[in-house]
Amino acid sequence: MNIVVCIKQVPGTTQVKVNPDTGTLIRDSVEAVLNPFDEYAVEEALRIKEKQGGTVRVITMGPPQAESALRQAIAMGADEAWLISDAAFAGSDTWATSYTVSRGIRALGEFDLVVCGKQAIDGDTAQVGPGVAEMLGIPFVAWVRKIDDISGTSLRVERLMEDGYDVVELPLPSLITVVKEINEPRMASLKGKMRAKKADIRTLTAADLGADAARLGLKGSPTQVLRSFVPEKKTGGEKISGDVPELVTKLKSTIQELGVIK
Amino acid sequence: MAITVDIEKCIGCKLCVRACAQDAIEIVEKKAVIDLAKCNYCGACVDACKKYGAITIARENAAEGIDTDSFRNVAVFIEQHEGDIAGVSFEILGEGRLLADEFGEKLIAVVLGNGMRDKAGELVKYGADKVVYLDGPDLAVFRDDTYAQLVSDFIHAEKPNVFLAGATAVGRSFIPKVAARVYGGLTADCTKLEVDREKRLLLQTRPAFGGNLMATIITPRHRPQMATVRHKVMKPAKLDPSRTGEFEVRTIAGGSIAERTKIVDIVKEVESTVNITEADIIVSGGRGMNGPDNFALIRDLAEVLGGAVGASRAAVDAGWIPYSHQVGQTGKTVCPKLYVACGISGAVQHQAGMQSSDYIIAINKDPDADIFQIANLGIVGDLFQVVPALTDSFRKELGH
Ligand SMILES: Cc1cc2nc3c(=O)[nH]c(=O)nc-3n(C[C@H](O)[C@H](O)[C@H](O)COP(=O)(O)OP(=O)(O)OC[C@H]3O[C@@H](n4cnc5c(N)ncnc54)[C@H](O)[C@@H]3O)c2cc1C
Ligand SMILES: Nc1ncnc2c1ncn2[C@@H]1O[C@H](COP(=O)(O)O)[C@@H](O)[C@H]1O
């Protein structure tokens, strides 16, 4: 089974805090990490490989420093890492990203399965997975919480829905996006970390993709960010302590005044 | 598009550096230098530099090949489950009506289903000028390829200016495929939509970075301008029995669309999964619950209030409650009218999923817990005393 995992480097949001005085993002110590949902994607690919044999290749489109996210995946156990990087990709929205990543995957040659995270925690869009599938022309299922069965030619998965789950079968090659429930990602071993340090990161530029230049980067992106701003933070209201009966009375009257109980 | 720094005006104050979420600006020899490889042209620096006016963005105007004027009307995708129209669909009908009026265009609803002609026709009474109902045995349940194909065909045929769908499990999985096909601009999970009448643009505002940053997105040169819209944010359309409009029914023969995925089973987890994204009231428990059995306290309160049960990741990871209840960055984003957080500290990742709730109550014994920074009402106390007493008191009054 040849598996490709799409990963993204994102700011570790724990550190993304807003300065209440200036209303701007404090990024002093923002460390860049592998998107948490993509860790589940890498883990699932590794588990399939461990059962069935094959290779796990990780690929990302991003600036040169995104290399460290690729090394993180190598440390977990991925075999090969590919960085799609070029100034021509700057300003890509999800459409142009999907296009570029799909061209990158094509450039790797044969594959059986592509695994993406459910969404990236910086943009939270969840659009790149389905976009890549469509542009590769392969079947797609989102929100996979469990792989029931996988053979050389098909896959049966559970797709998490709002009120339960669907059991879906699809032929390979295909693309799935995974949710947190699917597994518990492993910690990188010492050996893995050593390997990651030395691993050779392969790069792909716009020229390597044979892509339509009009579909890349800012120029190829249908959407543009008009402006971004820091939302008004909720500020805490009343905070009370005291006897339980007092607290209960206050809680009850507050909830009743909201008029939310049917 | 181009961004430029006027070095005559720039005083090297670093306001722009701090405003930039992309880390794209550096001060070199007391002047701002923008790294174009990182810049996403969001304009935060332009705003930050208002006082000096040193940074400007020149945005290109419409049409490079695409005749945006030939796209007209606001279209909405109506989601149904077992023939019942989803709550979020009434919200996008309501919002779609407002947008259509502002653009001076029509509102068209597209429904995919089987044997639900009456319910589809009714949508005219909820504000649609035209309803396109696609009926067929393969459309009863959501199928990836079928839905993507039919909705793409609809867009090619109707050429709408704006296209909206709910940001649901279904909408968020196939609308991006439609956008990929029609080369439309798609903005995920919008919480606010406005109209720039002059430029005929939809201004789409959405949270990013787990709600720490808001971004307004436009689609200047492509059509349709597509968005998925978050549930519970916009006002649902009201029934107006006297409204009339066009109703078009098209039959889609079984097996006429190539579908590569096969739905083997649809499992409802009604008991363990109260749909928290639909709930008006959510009572959530965290690590402070101290164990799985104590979640009964949360369930009891939720039940007496007629709400759903949520949880923090700590409670989910401990195995006290299934993942489908998790609220937060790696769980669900919820927006109920009332959110009651019990024994939850309020980590940023938890806040990311619930901070836009209309009213937040926190019950926590630690007076310094972060959750109090966003709670409208904070109760400093022991949840094991407060929660059951509150449940009892409501039970007595409501008599159940
Ligand atoms: C990448 C990433 C993604 C994450 N995603 C999510 C997510 O989606 N959702 C999420 O919730 N978290 C998420 N987290 C975890 C998050 O950082 C916190 O660890 C988690 O939310 C803490 O859960 P908690 O508030 O229940 O537990 P704690 O932080 O341990 O808080 C428990 C609280 O209970 C109070 N308490 C204890 N006993 C009582 C009592 N008897 N009465 C009253 N109060 C009591 C304590 O004072 C304390 O404040 C994520 C973390 C990371 C790194
Ligand atoms: N730049 C990128 N390079 C490779 N994969 C990506 C990139 N951006 C997003 N992805 C993949 O698409 C998923 C969804 O991302 P998003 O649509 O940005 O929320 C991620 O979890 C990744 O698997």
Side-chain angles (χ1 to χ4, degrees):
Chain A
M1 187 80 36
N2 291 316
I3 307 170
V4 178
V5 185
C6 300
I7 67 171
K8 186 180 187 189
Q9 187 178 52
V10 296
T13 7
T14 358
Q15 287 92 350
V16 177
K17 287 215 171 117
V18 176
N19 179 335
D21 300 327
T22 59
T24 52
L25 285 179
I26 303 170
R27 291 177 301 94
D28 294 347
S29 57
V30 184
E31 164 206 19
V33 299
L34 172 59
N35 177 35
F37 285 107
D38 300 347
E39 283 187 38
Y40 303 107
V42 173
E43 176 65 35
E44 200 57 25
L46 294 174
R47 289 186 187 192
I48 297 169
K49 179 191 148 181
E50 280 156 9
K51 272 202 217 117
Q52 315 234 342
T55 57
V56 173
R57 289 175 285 185
V58 288
I59 189 165
T60 189
M61 178 196 94
Q65 56 278 25
E67 190 192 304
S68 65
L70 290 169
R71 289 195 193 277
Q72 222 173 309
I74 295 261
M76 285 175 73
D79 300 297
E80 269 177 33
W82 293 80
L83 174 68
I84 321 172
S85 196
D86 198 306
F89 307 144
S92 295
D93 73 350
T94 57
W95 199 99
T97 302
S98 303
Y99 178 68
T100 309
V101 172
S102 70
R103 299 300 307 185
I105 294 172
R106 278 271 172 260
L108 303 188
E110 296 279 300
F111 62 87
D112 300 299
L113 178 67
V114 181
V115 189
C116 291
K118 169 196 168 202
Q119 64 191 48
I121 62 160
D122 51 355
D124 296 326
T125 79
Q127 289 177 181
V128 172
V132 170
E134 194 59 33
M135 289 172 187
L136 286 171
I138 58 176
F140 166 73
V141 173
W143 332 128
V144 172
R145 69 164 201 182
K146 187 164 175 248
I147 295 183
D148 285 337
D149 197 20
I150 181 163
S151 74
T153 53
S154 73
L155 183 67
R156 194 171 69 234
V157 300
E158 291 182 13
R159 168 173 62 197
L160 186 68
M161 303 299 275
E162 278 110 357
D163 54 357
Y165 62 94
D166 299 343
V167 181
V168 187
E169 249 171 38
L170 60 166
L172 294 176
S174 56
L175 187 150
I176 58 173
T177 69
V178 300
V179 298
K180 171 188 167 242
E181 208 182 351
I182 196 164
N183 59 41
E184 187 76 53
R186 69 195 65 188
M187 302 288 266
S189 65
L190 198 61
K191 211 171 118 208
K193 284 183 186 156
M194 297 294 288
R195 208 171 78 79
K197 239 186 222 161
K198 283 186 261 155
D200 169 28
I201 306 285
R202 299 151 207 241
T203 55
L204 292 168
T205 63
D208 299 324
L209 300 184
D212 172 1
R215 298 181 168 215
L216 297 177
L218 201 60
K219 208 165 135 214
S221 296
T223 66
Q224 288 175 7
V225 184
L226 182 65
R227 65 190 140 92
S228 55
F229 55 98
V230 176
E232 250 177 65
K233 259 278 168 199
K234 273 216 162 88
T235 45
E238 224 181 324
K239 187 162 82 178
I240 57 168
S241 56
D243 290 347
V244 173
E246 266 172 51
L247 295 175
V248 168
T249 308
K250 172 73 184 171
L251 274 168
K252 199 166 149 206
S253 63
T254 305
I255 294 173
Q256 281 170 332
E257 274 160 33
L258 290 174
V260 290
I261 304 179
K262 291 206 180 93
Chain B
M1 183 137 54
I3 183 162
T4 44
V5 179
D6 183 338
I7 52 169
E8 301 282 307
K9 290 182 182 163
C10 177
I11 60 156
C13 70
K14 293 193 185 161
L15 278 176
C16 55
V17 176
R18 267 181 263 142
C20 178
Q22 306 302 319
D23 205 5
I25 314 182
E26 245 187 313
I27 302 292
V28 181
E29 291 171 9
K30 300 216 170 113
K31 302 288 170 196
V33 175
I34 298 172
D35 180 347
L36 297 182
K38 289 184 183 168
C39 175
N40 70 351
Y41 301 84
C42 74
C45 56
V46 178
D47 290 345
C49 188
K50 246 186 220 132
K51 189 167 161 199
Y52 306 102
I55 309 179
T56 44
I57 295 181
R59 295 182 193 275
E60 288 139 26
N61 285 327
E64 273 172 22
I66 299 164
D67 175 15
T68 54
D69 278 341
S70 68
F71 287 75
R72 296 252 148 216
N73 303 322
V74 174
V76 294
F77 169 74
I78 302 296
E79 186 171 332
Q80 54 86 16
H81 295 270
E82 296 173 359
D84 286 332
I85 288 164
V88 67
S89 296
F90 290 103
E91 294 162 17
I92 55 173
L93 274 167
E95 183 69 16
R97 183 69 261 163
L98 297 176
L99 297 174
D101 289 344
E102 283 214 46
F103 280 117
E105 296 177 348
K106 285 188 183 152
L107 177 64
I108 309 173
V110 57
V111 192
L112 278 62
N114 192 213
M116 49 176 293
R117 197 189 166 103
D118 291 350
K119 277 193 183 145
E122 275 267 290
L123 296 175
V124 163
K125 301 191 171 117
Y126 285 94
D129 297 307
K130 175 172 162 186
V131 175
V132 177
Y133 171 47
L134 308 181
D135 181 271
D138 298 339
L139 315 187
V141 298
F142 167 60
R143 284 185 170 82
D144 262 283
D145 291 329
T146 306
Y147 273 47
Q149 168 87 48
L150 290 172
V151 172
S152 303
D153 291 349
F154 166 84
I155 287 177
H156 285 307
E158 294 283 344
K159 296 181 80 183
N161 180 24
V162 169
F163 183 90
L164 308 178
T168 56
V170 166
R172 290 186 81 188
S173 64
F174 90 98
I175 300 294
K177 296 195 1 162
V178 174
R181 287 189 189 203
V182 304
Y183 209 161
L186 174 60
T187 306
D189 233 3
C190 295
T191 54
K192 191 170 173 191
L193 298 172
E194 293 158 293
V195 166
D196 179 338
R197 279 235 285 271
E198 203 182 309
K199 299 194 180 117
R200 285 188 77 232
L201 287 181
L202 184 67
L203 309 182
Q204 313 166 102
T205 299
R206 67 180 303 267
F209 285 98
N212 282 310
L213 199 68
M214 301 297 289
T216 302
I217 315 275
I218 51 170
T219 298
R221 305 181 311 268
H222 291 248
R223 290 295 177 273
Q225 311 176 66
M226 305 172 69
T228 60
V229 175
R230 197 176 272 187
H231 195 14
K232 297 264 167 198
V233 187
M234 290 160 189
K235 286 210 179 63
K238 290 215 176 69
L239 176 76
D240 174 357
S242 65
R243 270 197 106 249
T244 53
E246 258 180 89
F247 184 40
E248 197 179 304
V249 182
R250 273 182 238 155
T251 307
I252 309 294
S256 62
I257 292 164
E259 175 65 61
R260 295 166 296 184
T261 68
K262 187 173 143 211
I263 308 291
V264 180
D265 201 2
I266 295 177
V267 183
K268 302 269 176 245
E269 290 180 310
V270 223
E271 287 204 316
S272 65
T273 315
V274 179
N275 186 351
I276 56 173
T277 51
E278 294 267 349
D280 281 338
I281 300 177
I282 296 173
V283 184
S284 269
R287 193 176 347 243
M289 296 312 299
N290 262 334
D293 300 340
N294 298 330
F295 257 86
L297 300 177
I298 300 289
R299 279 189 206 101
D300 289 349
L301 180 57
E303 196 189 344
V304 74
L305 296 177
V309 175
S312 74
R313 173 167 165 178
V316 172
D317 284 354
W320 300 345
I321 183 160
Y323 170 63
S324 46
H325 294 259
Q326 184 182 317
V327 172
Q329 189 185 79
T330 46
K332 285 180 177 151
T333 303
V334 297
C335 188
K337 296 193 174 113
L338 171 64
Y339 189 89
V340 187
C342 309
I344 293 178
S345 62
V348 284
Q349 297 91 350
H350 189 78
Q351 289 191 17
M354 47 66 77
Q355 62 193 358
S356 44
S357 306
D358 290 351
Y359 198 91
I360 297 168
I361 294 178
I363 305 173
N364 196 306
K365 66 180 181 190
D366 172 9
D368 298 323
D370 286 338
I371 192 81
F372 289 128
Q373 289 172 12
I374 59 161
N376 301 77
L377 175 62
I379 300 289
V380 184
D382 183 356
L383 75 91
F384 291 106
Q385 295 180 7
V386 177
V387 173
L390 183 62
T391 307
D392 272 352
S393 149
F394 270 115
R395 263 207 189 114
K396 281 197 192 105
E397 179 154 330
L398 300 168
H400 52 240

